[in-house]
Amino acid sequence: MEDVVLMKGNEAVGEAAIRAGCRFFFGYPITPQNEIPEYMSRRLPEVGGVYIQAESEVAAINMVYGAAAAGALAMTSSSSPGISLKQEGISYLVGSELPAFIVNMIRGGPGLGTIQPAQSDYFQAVKGGGHGDYRLLVYGPASIQELVDLTVLALDRANHYRNPALVLGDGILGQMMEPVRFPPMRDLGTLPEKPWATTGRRGGPKRLINSLYLQAEKCEEHNRRLQAKYREMQRTEKRWDCLWVENAELVVVAYGTTARICRTALEPLRAEGEAVGLFRPITLWPFPDDPLADLLKTGRVRAVLVVEMSAGQMVEDVRLVAGDRVPIRFYGRTGGAVPSPEEIREQVRELVRELR
Amino acid sequence: MDKRVVFDPERCKGCELCVDVCPESIIFMAEEINQRGFRPATVTEQERCTGCALCARMCPDLVITVYRPERRSAAGAREGRG
Amino acid sequence: MRVAFKRPDALVDMPTHYCPGCTHGIAHRLVAEVIEELGVFDRAVGVAPVGCAVLAYDYFACDMVQAAHGRAPAVATGIKRARPDAVVFTYQGDGDLASIGMAEVVHAAARGELVTVIFINNAIYGMTGGQMAPTTLLGQQTTTSPFGREPAREGYPIRVCELLERVRGVAYLARVPLTGPAQVARARTAVKRAFQAQLDGKGFGLVELLSTCPTGWGMSPREALKWVEEVMVPYYPPGEFRTDAADPGGGPLLARVGSEVSGKHGEQA
């Protein structure tokens, strides 16, 4: 599979994880991500891996916790209601400093919501999600190739930081097919050693995987260590993409599927000579605040339009960056509704008219 | 004589479960109080201890170590730890 | 003189936080003794629960993992699947296993996971202050069943062994009270058999140890042991519920279930 293949997002993410060295998948069915467990259930045995359909999302994330404790690179995937169920386990993974790879193919909520695509789990993903002071590395791919590349990166970074990493997709990204190129299969021998893993002592010192610190001072010290990791991530892990921003007076900020729709929406406007550009966060946490701030600092940008498939979540991070430097406009569809290029274009036109 | 049964008074929480199971009824609670505030179990009549280790088997706090005299033939000797 | 009984090396030499007379200490020691006797200390990985026994991760000298409340069997599954040569056990109380973690233990059993579960049933939540447990007996007063547990209000206590005995994938299943030296010796045998089922690749093993909570029950340690004997044992009859070799990969187990599971462990009142 060195050449370009046509693949569904949900299957590509599984294959990419395997290429990156993941051999353990624990999952539970939920639409719109079922092709991930289905793919892994037939693919993992081919590479000596383990697939288990757990009794619940709760059990699945805790199986990830156990496998990670024993030194494995493990993953799980789900969609919004299932990811909510995993939050306790994710918090424990963070607290015990275990690497894990998690995929959320978001669907509309709240509650059972809908199976249609959404971005309404942004807050949950980038603010922590479960209890306690913590962050996940959160990636928002906008194409199947990027989904593959970010999956490989996410697994590597999760392992590096001993912290879970999350890919945020949606039903569109999971279901659509695009040509992709996979990296070669990683030699498992090149994965980092894990002397901390609880594999049985085997002549060595006792190892403990734990998130309990009964003394407040010890627990605070543990939290300081976690925060130091998050500062390091903020320093080195931010990713973003810019399109047509060099002379843009109006910048649209969008990520994932929505960013693709925005691009389609902006293309005709560019052709008409409108000075509109697109800023696309790739890491949602750490949020690419400095590069966005740099863009807004030039003084050229007179307004920002944030577009999301939510009632307005990432827009809060954009507002934090922009302050009162430029006006921020928001346009969102939610509950599984997908904005069309036309309606986004109309939003942009209106804003352009106001600026004149 | 060598001690048959040794109680670590600082480990003892004074639950008295050992007292009830001693077939020789030689375990009693000391008058003094240990650092954790318990009256620890103790044995003074070491010569009456048979080394049966029932006390140790019931002790939740690993207070008790039991010794037995060396036998000429070890056959059939069953250690408390099995 | 030779040592006839001493602390097993698989336990760290430190005092426990358990209350006076609490039988957790006995249960810890039995597990440690068995791990040593089977010669698996260097391969052993224990999973500690949430509850009184959470600090078991400090007391056992082998590698230890602390799990979220009730999730120990899922965590153990992950460990065992990642390291099949590890000898994996969980140590769980009744709130952890039979209430919040019921799904995890049943499904780990149904998958025939090669792990060993030590289940401490003391009919109460100890750590949080003596609240009602899924195993709290009818009529038993706790801090959240102050008028005594009544079926119409609080439902019935759950018998875990009776529930699991029909689950394929279970290779060893026993219940033993920790009420005296003879019972403790029997409990040790049961724990050993449960571990042996894992080592032999036969399937899931669970030992339920009827234990005391003198503090939560408001009794002296002596009275507590007596209460286990007189009140708990009649509702939770001791015995070996499963000693067969379940084959998680399939095989003729279904045909054997009817004959292997008998009523030898007491009536089903």
Side-chain angles (χ1 to χ4, degrees):
Chain A
M1 270 206 264
E2 303 310 321
D3 295 321
V4 174
V5 291
L6 190 65
M7 214 163 175
K8 226 179 202 191
N10 279 337
E11 299 191 332
V13 70
E15 181 62 27
I18 289 171
R19 297 293 177 112
C22 174
R23 291 293 179 276
F24 295 88
F25 182 98
F26 306 97
Y28 187 85
I30 182 170
T31 307
Q33 59 84 56
N34 292 314
E35 294 84 356
I36 306 177
E38 286 167 6
Y39 184 81
M40 295 308 249
S41 69
R42 60 177 187 271
R43 181 71 174 115
L44 275 169
E46 293 176 359
V47 293
V50 172
Y51 167 87
I52 294 184
Q53 179 164 321
E55 58 270 30
S56 66
E57 286 91 347
V58 175
I61 193 72
N62 282 284
M63 289 174 189
V64 169
Y65 180 95
L73 204 45
M75 74 171 285
T76 186
S77 67
S78 192
S79 180
S80 309
I83 294 291
S84 292
L85 282 169
K86 290 184 197 291
Q87 292 302 330
E88 178 201 40
I90 293 171
S91 173
Y92 273 72
L93 283 160
V94 171
S96 296
E97 297 194 69
L98 293 173
F101 176 56
I102 303 155
V103 179
N104 181 4
M105 291 299 181
I106 308 176
R107 55 190 263 177
L112 203 47
T114 173
I115 60 169
Q116 311 302 326
Q119 294 181 318
S120 40
D121 298 352
Y122 178 92
F123 282 156
Q124 184 195 52
V126 307
K127 307 293 182 192
H131 59 285
D133 269 334
Y134 74 88
R135 302 288 185 167
L136 305 178
L137 284 161
V138 184
Y139 298 91
S143 71
I144 309 299
Q145 184 63 57
E146 196 172 46
L147 176 62
V148 166
D149 297 342
L150 291 180
T151 292
V152 173
L153 179 71
L155 276 153
D156 179 72
R157 297 289 82 194
N159 230 356
H160 174 77
Y161 289 107
R162 291 178 60 181
N163 195 81
L166 175 68
V167 160
L168 274 192
D170 58 53
I172 295 176
L173 199 69
Q175 299 295 329
M176 76 182 177
M177 294 182 93
E178 279 185 332
V180 281
R181 194 184 294 275
F182 286 101
M185 195 71 83
R186 180 161 185 174
D187 173 4
L188 297 185
T190 65
L191 290 170
E193 294 276 321
K194 294 178 178 174
W196 47 264
T198 49
T199 58
R201 289 177 58 169
R202 298 168 202 264
K206 171 179 170 169
R207 275 84 51 102
L208 172 64
I209 299 295
N210 177 40
S211 63
L212 176 66
Y213 297 83
L214 280 172
Q215 289 170 285
E217 295 75 17
K218 290 275 165 57
C219 197
E220 187 181 40
E221 191 186 312
H222 171 55
N223 267 279
R224 286 190 202 284
R225 208 164 54 240
L226 295 179
Q227 293 304 319
K229 286 202 291 195
Y230 300 139
R231 281 193 297 277
E232 175 66 13
M233 291 177 195
Q234 282 179 307
R235 210 173 56 76
T236 58
E237 302 297 337
K238 288 172 190 167
R239 284 169 183 257
W240 68 95
D241 191 23
C242 290
L243 188 66
W244 308 316
V245 296
E246 298 72 23
N247 64 346
E249 292 177 15
L250 190 155
V251 168
V252 174
V253 182
Y255 71 96
T257 299
T258 309
R260 286 173 74 118
I261 304 171
C262 286
R263 182 187 173 137
T264 306
L266 296 184
E267 270 166 358
L269 294 173
R270 289 294 300 183
E272 291 166 20
E274 296 289 357
V276 292
L278 179 65
F279 182 89
R280 179 171 74 89
I282 295 173
T283 52
L284 305 176
W285 202 91
F287 188 75
D289 45 5
D290 305 331
L292 181 59
D294 289 345
L295 184 62
L296 301 183
K297 256 188 255 170
T298 59
R300 194 178 53 241
V301 179
R302 296 169 61 206
V304 169
L305 174 68
V306 179
V307 185
E308 295 177 62
M309 288 193 287
S310 80
Q313 301 197 7
M314 183 183 68
V315 64
E316 293 192 0
D317 286 330
V318 175
R319 283 206 180 99
L320 277 176
V321 173
D324 49 12
R325 209 175 278 138
V326 284
I328 306 291
R329 181 74 59 87
F330 174 74
Y331 182 70
R333 298 291 303 274
T334 191
V338 180
S340 69
E342 291 71 29
E343 55 190 279
I344 293 171
R345 193 149 48 230
E346 192 42 50
Q347 292 293 318
V348 174
R349 281 194 206 280
E350 196 182 309
L351 199 48
V352 167
R353 276 197 295 273
E354 285 176 28
L355 290 176
R356 288 211 175 102
Chain B
M1 67 170 285
D2 290 334
K3 282 187 176 176
R4 299 275 175 89
V5 59
V6 176
F7 287 70
D8 178 349
E10 289 310 320
R11 269 294 169 80
C12 183
K13 294 173 185 164
C15 74
E16 306 186 20
L17 296 188
C18 56
V19 173
D20 295 351
V21 298
C22 176
E24 299 294 318
S25 301
I26 55 173
I27 306 174
F28 63 97
M29 307 312 285
E31 286 300 318
E32 67 272 16
I33 289 172
N34 71 12
Q35 285 190 9
R36 309 166 89 193
F38 298 113
R39 287 175 57 200
T42 188
V43 163
T44 49
E45 298 172 84
Q46 287 285 344
E47 67 285 353
R48 285 182 60 196
C49 175
T50 63
C52 72
L54 295 187
C55 55
R57 210 169 281 175
M58 276 313 285
C59 174
D61 293 295
L62 297 159
V63 169
I64 307 165
T65 308
V66 182
Y67 299 92
R68 276 178 212 155
E70 297 289 352
R71 292 186 193 175
R72 293 225 176 107
S73 163
R78 191 175 172 279
E79 294 196 353
R81 285 172 56 207
Chain C
M1 298 289 264
R2 67 196 170 82
V3 176
F5 192 103
K6 70 170 187 69
R7 175 185 61 80
D9 294 330
L11 284 180
V12 175
D13 186 10
M14 67 188 289
T16 68
H17 72 291
Y18 297 117
C19 301
C22 167
T23 45
H24 264 306
I26 299 176
H28 280 30
R29 196 190 72 231
L30 295 179
V31 174
E33 286 175 355
V34 166
I35 285 172
E36 279 186 15
E37 187 190 336
L38 293 172
V40 298
F41 174 73
D42 249 10
R43 293 195 281 145
V45 182
V47 184
V50 170
C52 281
V54 62
L55 295 177
Y57 65 67
D58 275 339
Y59 304 145
F60 284 101
C62 57
D63 275 2
M64 292 295 292
V65 179
Q66 199 280 315
H69 198 24
R71 317 302 174 213
V75 171
T77 296
I79 298 169
K80 186 72 179 184
R81 296 297 186 114
R83 288 300 297 239
D85 58 342
V87 177
V88 182
F89 69 94
T90 74
Y91 187 104
Q92 305 175 255
D94 40 28
D96 193 88
L97 182 141
S99 193
I100 195 166
M102 185 60 102
E104 282 76 7
V105 74
V106 170
H107 285 270
R111 288 191 303 269
E113 293 293 343
L114 296 174
V115 300
T116 303
V117 173
I118 307 300
F119 169 40
I120 306 297
N121 177 359
N122 61 7
I124 207 160
Y125 282 74
M127 177 65 94
T128 46
Q131 293 84 5
M132 188 183 76
T135 48
T136 290
L137 292 164
L138 294 181
Q140 188 183 341
Q141 288 182 327
T142 70
T143 54
T144 52
S145 58
F147 311 108
R149 183 174 193 164
E150 268 194 48
R153 199 171 43 220
E154 288 102 0
Y156 293 94
I158 290 174
R159 295 182 174 111
V160 168
C161 283
E162 285 80 350
L163 199 78
L164 287 177
E165 72 172 328
R166 291 279 170 184
V167 176
R168 271 187 80 176
V170 177
Y172 187 79
L173 187 59
R175 177 188 290 134
V176 194
L178 295 176
T179 43
Q183 289 84 351
V184 168
R186 242 173 266 150
R188 193 179 183 286
T189 303
V191 170
K192 189 176 165 188
R193 287 180 180 170
F195 271 95
Q196 195 63 52
Q198 175 179 173
L199 294 176
D200 294 344
K202 287 181 175 169
F204 178 89
L206 180 145
V207 179
E208 175 177 347
L209 299 170
L210 299 182
S211 302
T212 62
C213 182
T215 304
W217 296 350
M219 296 179 192
S220 73
R222 264 195 192 109
E223 290 166 342
L225 281 190
K226 205 166 165 227
W227 197 80
V228 173
E229 251 164 33
E230 293 176 358
V231 181
M232 285 186 79
V233 162
Y235 191 83
Y236 297 113
E240 285 185 312
F241 291 72
R242 286 281 282 271
T243 57
D244 54 320
D247 176 5
L253 188 66
L254 196 60
R256 282 190 276 132
V257 165
S259 56
E260 296 260 344
V261 178
S262 67
K264 65 193 169 201
H265 43 73
E267 47 94 38
Q268 305 278 313

